[in-house]
């Protein structure tokens, strides 16, 4: 980094002129009408302000932008598709933080079907990355509801989980290499694509899940899998969460390598989707709980239907499953998945909700749901529990919708009471307060309780070593 004197923070116009020199007119937005969509999060929990959104076109420009901001003592907020559930990519409302959008860095640099790797830039949407992998005969085994908008940089910075974790792990498990602009403006070129590289601290894993507080991920090498040749999807209506768990145990014992998704939905959440999302309809008889199971295999001869029949016929007979529909076409498969993927949107349209992205050991999911239902009703009569999510990972989005006759603002004013009620149960079950959405701006206050002592102390030391002036995504992750 060039040795230049610090510019006082109040010299924002001079910094903006420097940023314009680096990224050009096309790469800089300063008009509030243009920056508005970058300053509010998807859930509309936070309305921030920013003097400028910078949109660099390449890694060298990102590095130059960071160097300029550091010299001015100005903080930066990295942003991908802005789909964070915890306000992780939104600037604060003090109006001094520069948003760095990676959206223009959207090239897939290489796909290697023999090494089974893709090298791509931070601004590629997850959907575009999946499509390119499929075209090359491969699968990028990461799928989340916001994949059409979410970008690889954000997906990795937040260690996204999603619908395939049960088989392939979280985003972190797919990362072989990274390119990162560090908080001092240096570029770390770590785009290795090795399966074995046992050479000291595993630096790349430090940036995955750091939510942009340690540097900006500009490119990555991700693992791919062979493209499935057989995919089968079933929607099961089940009478209880215990029955859903019993089904999960059956499928994971029968052939764990075939289970690509095992997703849970409640009857209430399904009702919201059917009511608010045009074009959706329920292919099974209504039930208090549903499970979506996807089996997949790269083997042409894999008889996944036989697996479904072997497990679901006895389940139908003994009442573990009350109804089931197997998708007969790609369109039906997509329609079943839509019922699951529109859950967040259905809840949003129904009214105000308080989200709890929690995880517990899979075996404890029924207990979690039973205890939370009782405790929530005692806390706020009429509250509607709308749990759904990745049951195969023990990750339940334990969301609560406002009581029908309550004002949204009055309901949201109690958000911490609801989150604390869930937190107490989850802690008792030895779970996590944030399974896949991260900590962001919403949950740093929970860190001392859940990750205090030596763990938080080590995190603070890492932060101080890499970003001593605290200019990378301030107010996120660490309290
Ligand atoms: C999902 O799995 O659909 C997302 O994580 C969304 C949510 O929690 O609302
Ligand atoms: Zn999820």
């Amino acid at each position: 980094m060039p040795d230049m004197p610090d510019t006082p923070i109040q010299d924002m116009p001079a910094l903006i002129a420097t940023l314009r020199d680096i990224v050009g007119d096309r790469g800089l937005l300063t008009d509030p009408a243009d920056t508005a969509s970058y300053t509010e999060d998807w859930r509309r929990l936070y309305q921030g302000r920013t003097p400028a959104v910078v949109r660099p076109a390449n890694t060298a420009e990102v590095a130059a932008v960071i160097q300029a901001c550091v010299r001015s003592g100005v903080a930066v907020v990295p942003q991908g598709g802005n789909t964070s559930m915890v306000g992780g990519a939104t600037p604060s409302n003090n109006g001094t933080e520069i948003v760095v959008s990676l959206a223009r860095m959207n090239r897939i640099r290489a796909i290697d079907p023999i090494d089974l790797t893709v090298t791509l830039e931070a601004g590629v949407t997850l959907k575009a990355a999946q499509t390119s992998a499929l075209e090359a005969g491969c699968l990028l085994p990461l799928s989340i509801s916001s994949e059409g908008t979410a970008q690889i940089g954000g997906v990795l910075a937040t260690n996204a989980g999603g619908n395939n974790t049960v088989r392939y792990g979280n985003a972190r498990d797919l990362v072989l290499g990274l390119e990162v602009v560090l908080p001092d403006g240096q570029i770390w070129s770590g785009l290795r694509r090795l399966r074995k590289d046992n050479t000291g601290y595993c630096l790349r894993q430090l940036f995955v899940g750091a939510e942009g507080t340690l540097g900006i991920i500009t490119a990555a090498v991700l693992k791919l899998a062979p493209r499935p040749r057989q995919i089968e999807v079933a929607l099961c209506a089940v009478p209880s969460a215990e029955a859903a768990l019993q089904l999960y145990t059956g499928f994971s014992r029968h052939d764990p390598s075939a289970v690509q998704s095992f997703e849970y939905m409640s009857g209430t959440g399904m009702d919201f989707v059917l009511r608010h999302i045009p074009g959706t309809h329920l292919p099974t008889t209504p039930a208090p709980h549903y499970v979506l199971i996807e089996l997949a295999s790269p083997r042409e001869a894999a008889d996944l239907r036989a697996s479904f029949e072997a497990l679901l016929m006895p389940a139908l007979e003994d009442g573990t499953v009350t109804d089931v529909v197997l998708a007969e076409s790609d369109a039906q498969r997509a329609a079943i998945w839509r019922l699951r993927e529109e859950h967040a949107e259905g809840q949003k349209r129904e009214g105000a909700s308080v989200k709890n992205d929690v995880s517990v050991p899979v075996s404890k999911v029924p207990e979690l749901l039973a205890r939370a239902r009782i405790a929530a009703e005692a806390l706020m009569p009429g509250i509607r529990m709308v749990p759904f999510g990745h049951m195969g990972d023990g990750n339940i989005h334990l969301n609560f919708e406002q009581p029908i006759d309550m004002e949204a603002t009055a309901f949201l004013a109690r958000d911490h009471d609801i989150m604390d009620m869930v937190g107490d149960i989850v802690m008792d079950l030895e779970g996590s307060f944030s399974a896949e959405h991260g900590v962001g701006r919403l949950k740093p206050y929970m860190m001392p309780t859940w990750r205090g002592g030596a763990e938080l102390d080590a995190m603070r030391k890492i932060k101080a070593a890499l970003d001593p002036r605290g200019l990378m995504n301030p107010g996120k992750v660490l309290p």
Side-chain angles (χ1 to χ4, degrees):
M1 188 183 156
D3 187 17
M4 290 182 68
D6 280 3
T7 315
I9 189 166
Q10 58 268 36
D11 202 1
M12 192 60 86
L15 172 62
I16 290 176
T18 305
L19 296 176
R20 194 182 296 280
D21 287 346
I22 297 167
V23 295
D25 285 339
R26 219 182 128 207
L28 192 76
L29 307 173
T30 52
D31 187 328
D34 297 330
T35 60
S37 64
Y38 297 83
T39 54
E40 187 177 46
D41 67 310
W42 181 83
R43 292 179 62 191
R44 303 205 184 109
L45 293 179
Y46 301 105
Q47 284 77 36
R49 290 190 304 127
T50 185
V53 175
V54 193
R55 293 162 44 89
N58 53 52
T59 308
E61 286 187 8
V62 177
V65 164
I66 296 303
Q67 289 165 14
C69 289
V70 171
R71 281 198 301 272
S72 301
V74 168
V76 298
V77 179
Q79 192 177 101
N82 198 14
T83 58
S84 173
M85 292 284 182
V86 288
T90 318
S92 74
N93 40 20
N94 68 19
T96 63
E97 297 166 8
I98 301 282
V99 175
V100 179
S101 162
L102 281 298
R104 283 176 74 206
M105 293 189 58
N106 59 3
R107 281 187 319 127
I108 301 214
R109 295 188 189 163
I111 294 187
D112 191 322
I114 295 175
D115 287 335
L116 284 168
T117 54
V118 56
T119 306
L120 73 185
E121 295 179 350
V124 177
T125 65
L126 179 52
K127 185 84 200 158
Q130 291 166 348
T131 305
S132 299
L134 285 177
E135 284 165 1
C138 304
L139 173 77
L140 175 57
L142 186 69
S143 171
I144 57 178
S145 298
S146 56
E147 62 201 18
T149 312
Q151 296 168 13
I152 292 298
V155 160
L156 298 180
T158 56
N159 182 29
N163 308 332
N164 299 150
T165 302
V166 67
R167 171 129 159 227
Y168 297 99
N170 296 299
R172 152 173 336 282
D173 300 295
L174 303 177
V175 179
L176 290 177
L178 279 190
E179 179 186 84
V180 179
V181 173
L182 300 172
D184 63 1
Q186 286 188 82
I187 299 170
W188 172 48
S189 301
L191 288 177
R192 297 175 202 120
R193 52 202 184 102
L194 305 171
R195 303 283 163 158
K196 286 191 168 178
D197 175 28
N198 206 355
T199 50
Y201 301 149
C202 186
L203 218 47
R204 66 182 188 278
Q205 294 297 359
L206 205 53
F207 299 101
V208 179
E211 302 185 35
T213 60
L214 298 178
I216 301 187
I217 296 173
T218 50
V221 181
L222 303 182
K223 285 185 211 169
L224 300 174
R227 180 183 179 152
R229 290 197 178 81
Q230 298 279 326
I231 302 181
E232 297 286 350
V233 168
L235 182 68
C236 305
V238 296
S240 64
E242 286 78 6
L245 177 64
Q246 207 174 315
L247 261 193
Y248 171 71
T249 315
F251 275 92
S252 55
R253 283 193 190 149
H254 179 78
D255 184 2
S257 70
V259 182
Q260 185 149 282
S261 303
F262 195 99
E263 298 283 309
Y264 167 83
M265 290 160 279
S266 71
T268 313
M270 189 66 95
D271 288 347
F272 292 171
V273 171
L274 298 170
R275 191 179 315 154
H276 297 295
I277 310 294
T280 54
H281 73 97
L282 185 65
T284 63
T285 50
H289 309 265
Y290 301 90
V291 167
L292 185 163
I293 307 165
E294 181 170 279
L295 304 182
S297 172
R299 287 188 299 121
E300 199 86 69
D303 194 350
L304 302 174
R305 287 219 148 211
S307 295
F308 266 137
E309 276 156 23
L311 289 151
L312 292 179
M313 292 310 283
L316 277 165
E317 273 160 30
D318 69 19
T320 309
V321 170
T322 51
D323 194 11
V324 62
V325 165
L326 287 187
E328 297 293 343
S329 64
D330 288 354
Q332 276 182 19
R333 201 167 76 212
I336 290 177
W337 263 112
R338 193 151 176 247
L339 294 172
R340 163 65 186 87
E341 283 173 342
E342 294 287 8
H343 258 63
E345 190 60 37
Q347 287 180 17
K348 196 171 169 183
R349 293 190 193 177
E350 175 70 16
S353 57
V354 172
K355 289 175 181 280
N356 297 279
D357 166 40
V358 301
S359 61
V360 292
V362 186
S363 59
K364 301 284 182 196
V365 169
E367 184 180 343
L368 168 72
L369 298 182
R371 286 173 64 177
R373 190 177 294 281
I374 294 166
E377 184 58 30
L379 183 73
M380 188 185 287
I383 194 170
R384 292 171 292 168
M385 186 165 104
V386 203
F388 67 98
H390 320 289
M391 181 157 181
D393 318 322
N395 172 195
I396 297 293
H397 301 304
L398 192 37
N399 299 349
F400 289 90
E401 201 80 11
Q402 62 185 93
I404 288 168
D405 50 3
M406 192 175 197
E407 282 294 318
T409 41
F411 173 69
L412 289 175
R414 307 267 323 262
D415 60 349
H416 281 248
D417 295 342
I418 298 168
M419 285 155 74
D420 290 349
M421 172 273 293
V422 172
D424 287 347
I425 300 168
V426 171
M427 193 173 271
D428 197 42
L429 296 175
E430 300 178 332
S432 170
F433 71 102
S434 186
E436 63 169 7
H437 292 170
V439 181
R441 193 168 153 187
L442 186 64
K443 299 181 177 172
Y445 79 96
M446 297 168 96
M447 290 290 273
T449 309
W450 291 79
R451 298 289 177 260
E455 195 168 356
L456 189 54
D457 189 42
M459 289 191 208
R460 285 189 198 280
K461 284 177 179 151
I462 292 168
K463 171 76 174 171
L466 286 178
D467 181 22
R469 295 168 72 184
L471 297 179
M472 294 301 307
N473 213 7
K476 317 292 169 29
V477 183
L478 298 177

